[in-house]
Each structure stands twice: as C-alpha cells, then as structure tokens.
Amino acid sequence: MRPNLFIFALLLFTCALLEAQDAETSPSGRLKGLSLEQLGNIEVTTVSKSPVKLSQTPAAIYVITQEDIRRSGVRSLPEALRLAPGVDVAQIDSVKWAVGIRGFESRLSRSVLVLIDGRSVYSPLFHGVYWEVQDTLIEDIDRIEVIRGPGGTIWGANAVNGVINIITKNSRDTRGTLVSAGGGSVNQGFLDFRTGGGNDSGFNYRVYGKGEDQSPAYHQDNRQFDDWRRMQGGFRTDWDVNPRNTITVQGDLYDGVAGESVRVTSENPPAASVAEQNALLSGGNVLARWQRMFSATSDLQIQAYYDRVNRLQANQAEYRDTYDIDLVHHLTLFGGQDFIWGFGARASVGKVPQVVPTYVFNPSERTDQLYTAYAQDSIPLAGDKLLFIAGAKILNESLSGFNVEPSARLLWTPTPRRTFWGAVTRAVRTASDIEDTLTTTSLVSTSPLVFSRTQGDRIFTDEILVGFEAGYRSLISNTFSLDIAAFHNRYNHLLSLETQTPYTEDDGGLTATIDPFFNLNGVKGTTSGIEIAPDWKPRSWWRLQGSYSFLDMDMKTIPTSSDTTTVSSLEGSSPHHQVRIQSWLDLMRNMEFSATWRYVSALPALSVGGYETGDARFAWRPVPRVELAVTAQNLMQPHHGEFSGDPGPVVGIKRNVFASLTFRK
C-alpha cells in the first residue's frame, strides 16, 4: 500500500478551503447530522430486538446513517455496506456482488444473515443472498445496522459471521414528495419518486417507485453480457392506534432483467458452452407488525411476512414462497434485569424445475421448515456500570434437525464515554439445498470422455462457529471517537468437496468416465482479526472518518478429507487488509463535498490483485428543496478487478460519473 495523488489532492483541497470557510461560518455552512455524542446515543435494535444505545452495546456493531448514505452518493445496498469496517464488499460485474463479514467473502454472502426491516432475505437454496434483487428507495433508509460477529442467539440460523439489518424510516418521517432523476456513464439512467402523507389520528403512509438502467462492466474479451434494467415499487403505512398500540404494514414488488454468463454442459452430445442471456428476476413481499406496550416495563411485538421469489436463468430456475411469523416479548424483571424471549416459525416452499439436464435438484419441490425459540437476560452486576448478558436460541430445521446457539456477553462502562465489552458465542449455518439435493455435471475432457459430477449425500451437517470477541468504544473528546474490536473464531464442519472412486457410465452409446465429488464437512479452521474505526470532527463543517480491518484465516482439512481445493479457495478469496478514509466538507453557499479513498489487498485464489480507488461527490442546494449533485466513483483507474465469478477473465469495474437532480416538497 502506498500514498497516492488522490489523498494528497484531497488534503490540498481541504487546506485550501480552511481560510475561506473560517471567514464564512454561518449556520448554513455547518456540517449537518448528529454530533459524535449523539451518534453514540443512537438506539439500535438488531443486537437484542429491543432498543439499546449504540455506545452501550456489547457487540461489534456499526451504524450507517442516512446522512452517511446520502453524502457518499451510493445507489445500491452493497455500495452502502462499504462504509462499515470489517465488511468485505466486491463487485463481480455490473449485476453481481460478493459480500462477506470477517472473511468468507462470496457471491451469496455465505454465513451472513441479511434483513430488511426484520424480514430475512437469506436464500435456503444457496445459503446466501442475491444482492441484485435486494433494494429499496435509498432516501427512505433510516439506518443500516451491521453486526460483525455471530448473532445467532437472537436471529437464529445462518447469522454466523454477521447480521446486516436495513431499517427504513417510519412513514411519519417521509411525508411530502420526493423526485430524483439522473444518469451517467455506467448508471445510464434512473428515476426515483416517493410521496407520503397522513392525518392527525396517527395514521401515516408512503408509496414509492424507482427504475434504473445500467451498462455492462469492462470485459477485455468484449463479452458485454452484464447490462441490466430493474423496476421496483412499494408502500408503507404506520398507524399509532393509541399510545399503547402501533401497526405497520409494508410491501414491495420488483421486476427486472439482468445479463449473465454461465457455463452449461451437455452430456449427449458431450459439449461445454457459455450461455449469455438475461436472467428474469421478479418477486414481492408484504410484512405486518404489531407492537403493544403493556406498561413501562413490558412490551410485545408480533411480526409476520410473506415473500415471493421468481428466478429464471440459463441453467436453473427457482420459484419460492416464504411464510414467517415471529413473536418477541420484552420485559423488565426484579433487580433491573432486561429480559427478552420469543419464538418463530418459517416455511419456505421452493420449486426448482430442471432447466438443463446437468444441473438438477432432486426432489425439485420441497418445503424447508424452521422453528425457533430463544431467551436472553441482561443482569446488572454493579449498578449501570457492569452488565452480564446470557441467552440461547433453540432451533429445529428440516434438513439439519435440532441445534442450540448460546451466548454470553459482558459490558463494562466505567464512565459514560468509555465502554469495554467481551463475548463468547456459538452459531450455526444450516444445510442448504445446494449441499443436499443438487447434482451438477461438468465436462472435463472429450478425449478421453470425462465428466465431473458433484452432489450431496444427504448427511451434510451444520457448520459450527464458536466466536470470541472483545471491544472498546470511547468518546475521547467532543470531536473524536474511537471504536476497536478484535475477534478469534473457531470453525468446524465447514463445507468440503470430497473425491470418490471414478466409474464409467454409458449414455446413448457413449462411454464416459465419471469423477464423483460429494459435499461433506471436511474443513475446519480459525480466523482472527481486528477492526479500528476512528471518527473525527475537527471543525463544525468538516468530518473525517476512517477504518482499518485486518483478517487472518487459517483453514485446514480433517485427516479423513480428500479435498485439495477448498482451503486455498477460502483463505485466498477474502482480503487480509482493508483501509477506508472519508472526508465530508460543508462549503459556502449550500455546497458540500465528500471524498473517499479505499484500499483492498489481493485475493490470490481469484487472481485479483490489491487495488486502491477513490470516490467523490459534489452537491449544491441552490434553493432549500432542490439538490444538484455529481458523483464520481472508481476515479483512480479506468477499470479494475475486484472479484471473479463469471466464465472468462476477471471483469473490470469501470470508472463511473453520474449527475442527479433531487426535488423535495
């Protein structure tokens, strides 16, 4: 990693503004948003499903606020996640993303539970998240709470390496009209709108719609397959029935086409080809939530949702209906104990019809069921300075059966501005269809005729994590805060690809050798690391944020394993080092400037070198309700690789410049 011209230019630009800004320090020139102390007092809910101050949370949690998102100029959820330390975000091509937390970065965010307003978007088919279909109006996001580390005690299966909860605003905060339009070199065109209102009886609503068109990324072989178009709309209503009861109902619909490239194998005649065509992606959801305040020390929340997924690709299809219900009861017990308990049930009905004969789920229809129950108690040990939190979640899943996810946490707050915490947690990733019921066949050679065949053996067990964490938060002064977290994770029963004895197979007069592979639990290992996130406001109109993340992975196969590829793939597909520096400036006459520099170290398993890049955004509000903005991304080079996953060379992520005009009423 080396200093570069982008950082020097940023510092010079900042210094050049100091005198002019000091000469004009009217209130309109002060950085909007919360003070550092107010940021520490933001109430977060993802850690315990009940409001807790961020500064007094015994977990490695980071909050990305709406102001963070707006000033960064991002247009998608994965881009916004780059603002959090310890989160690995890489763009595969124009459509697809790889996201991980504390390692295990992958196309489908392996072992990370992602929620939108408490609705899980985790796919039981491929143990992950399709980021290209997770979206909402970016201006309606209130905050994104990112937990780095296991969250299974509260959220259950698959919250192994982290939890990401995207929380949208209450509709009472989005009254009025918003229209935003723009376009540029990669984001070729987009249009967002939202309108909302309400009455004096506590009822508020909003409806929104958005559409966008994006060009392909850079392909050195000129295969411009990954352009895409997408539309989405939705609504939210919030009704304060009375001081004790609140009802929320919300929903979304989306439809889009996404260009992709996939390998397809034919057994007869034997051939392997690359199919380039649009994936058809559509779906929708509806969620209802009732909150009841029984008293100042007792409240209840019941949430239910339905989610529909339609996905048709060149080699596979999925049509899925998910039904989920969740109950949470929070109450205060004797001695100031904060007790929370609840239970949930989920049924996910999936149909995965065969599209090509070499990519087959058997059975092609199945219902995945998940039942959970949990309890957690926060016990004061020394007034409000020392807190012990213990809990456990019991889950029963249709593929993996019964399991338990316990945790113990300790929080010490010697002063209101300093917090120390530690945690020991067990979490599990349950088996998915891809490990249990999928059979894939790939052509190895035509002379002699050899195919490889990978399938589940119906005995894949849960992947297990036991995590040890410690952290420190401090508001060192009114203008400087520091957040540090360290971790050591032990993994067992990780997915491995085990070789079996080759055999021959006759098909239509052709005799082929089959190299069989089975999905088993033959890998174990550890990860260790540290994450540092300082935040500094040297002036009322200038804010500097930064983060550094270090990750060390040590994976190995168990003695009975024949796997020769998984260890190097896991260790070499997540960066060891990540650095981010971000500067926000409020300029004169309602102008603002933001700049970000990022460094990500190499991914040797994917033939992706380390890279550094920078983003910048300039915005001007000529009148209070109108904003003009120009955003530039990936400024340091015309294109660079971040991750691989498509057939052929690593796709280059291009420099992107776009303008936007936003009107609020």
mmCIF file of all heavy atoms in Angstrom, residues 89 160 338 603 622 627:
data_model
loop_
_atom_site.group_PDB
_atom_site.id
_atom_site.type_symbol
_atom_site.label_atom_id
_atom_site.label_comp_id
_atom_site.label_asym_id
_atom_site.label_seq_id
_atom_site.Cartn_x
_atom_site.Cartn_y
_atom_site.Cartn_z
ATOM 1 N N VAL A 89 -16.730 -6.027 0.641
ATOM 2 C CA VAL A 89 -17.668 -5.803 -0.456
ATOM 3 C C VAL A 89 -16.875 -5.710 -1.748
ATOM 4 O O VAL A 89 -15.958 -4.884 -1.859
ATOM 5 C CB VAL A 89 -18.494 -4.514 -0.250
ATOM 6 C CG1 VAL A 89 -19.450 -4.313 -1.421
ATOM 7 C CG2 VAL A 89 -19.273 -4.579 1.059
ATOM 8 N N VAL A 160 -24.026 -16.258 11.284
ATOM 9 C CA VAL A 160 -22.773 -16.819 11.789
ATOM 10 C C VAL A 160 -21.679 -15.762 11.858
ATOM 11 O O VAL A 160 -21.130 -15.486 12.923
ATOM 12 C CB VAL A 160 -22.332 -18.010 10.912
ATOM 13 C CG1 VAL A 160 -20.980 -18.556 11.375
ATOM 14 C CG2 VAL A 160 -23.382 -19.107 10.949
ATOM 15 N N ASP A 338 -33.110 -6.927 32.274
ATOM 16 C CA ASP A 338 -33.779 -6.690 31.000
ATOM 17 C C ASP A 338 -33.925 -8.040 30.306
ATOM 18 O O ASP A 338 -32.951 -8.584 29.778
ATOM 19 C CB ASP A 338 -32.961 -5.720 30.153
ATOM 20 C CG ASP A 338 -33.751 -5.167 28.988
ATOM 21 O OD1 ASP A 338 -34.935 -4.869 29.158
ATOM 22 O OD2 ASP A 338 -33.175 -5.047 27.890
ATOM 23 N N LEU A 603 -6.614 -10.842 -3.619
ATOM 24 C CA LEU A 603 -7.344 -12.104 -3.465
ATOM 25 C C LEU A 603 -6.666 -13.132 -4.370
ATOM 26 O O LEU A 603 -7.071 -13.348 -5.516
ATOM 27 C CB LEU A 603 -8.808 -11.927 -3.861
ATOM 28 C CG LEU A 603 -9.582 -10.771 -3.219
ATOM 29 C CD1 LEU A 603 -11.013 -10.729 -3.739
ATOM 30 C CD2 LEU A 603 -9.566 -10.894 -1.704
ATOM 31 N N PRO A 622 -29.254 25.045 -4.558
ATOM 32 C CA PRO A 622 -29.488 26.451 -4.923
ATOM 33 C C PRO A 622 -30.687 27.047 -4.207
ATOM 34 O O PRO A 622 -30.722 28.248 -3.937
ATOM 35 C CB PRO A 622 -29.698 26.391 -6.443
ATOM 36 C CG PRO A 622 -30.136 24.986 -6.710
ATOM 37 C CD PRO A 622 -29.430 24.145 -5.706
ATOM 38 N N GLU A 627 -31.654 19.816 -4.910
ATOM 39 C CA GLU A 627 -30.243 19.465 -4.796
ATOM 40 C C GLU A 627 -29.725 18.980 -6.143
ATOM 41 O O GLU A 627 -30.313 18.097 -6.772
ATOM 42 C CB GLU A 627 -30.027 18.383 -3.742
ATOM 43 C CG GLU A 627 -28.570 17.997 -3.576
ATOM 44 C CD GLU A 627 -28.352 16.891 -2.557
ATOM 45 O OE1 GLU A 627 -28.554 15.712 -2.909
ATOM 46 O OE2 GLU A 627 -27.987 17.211 -1.405
#
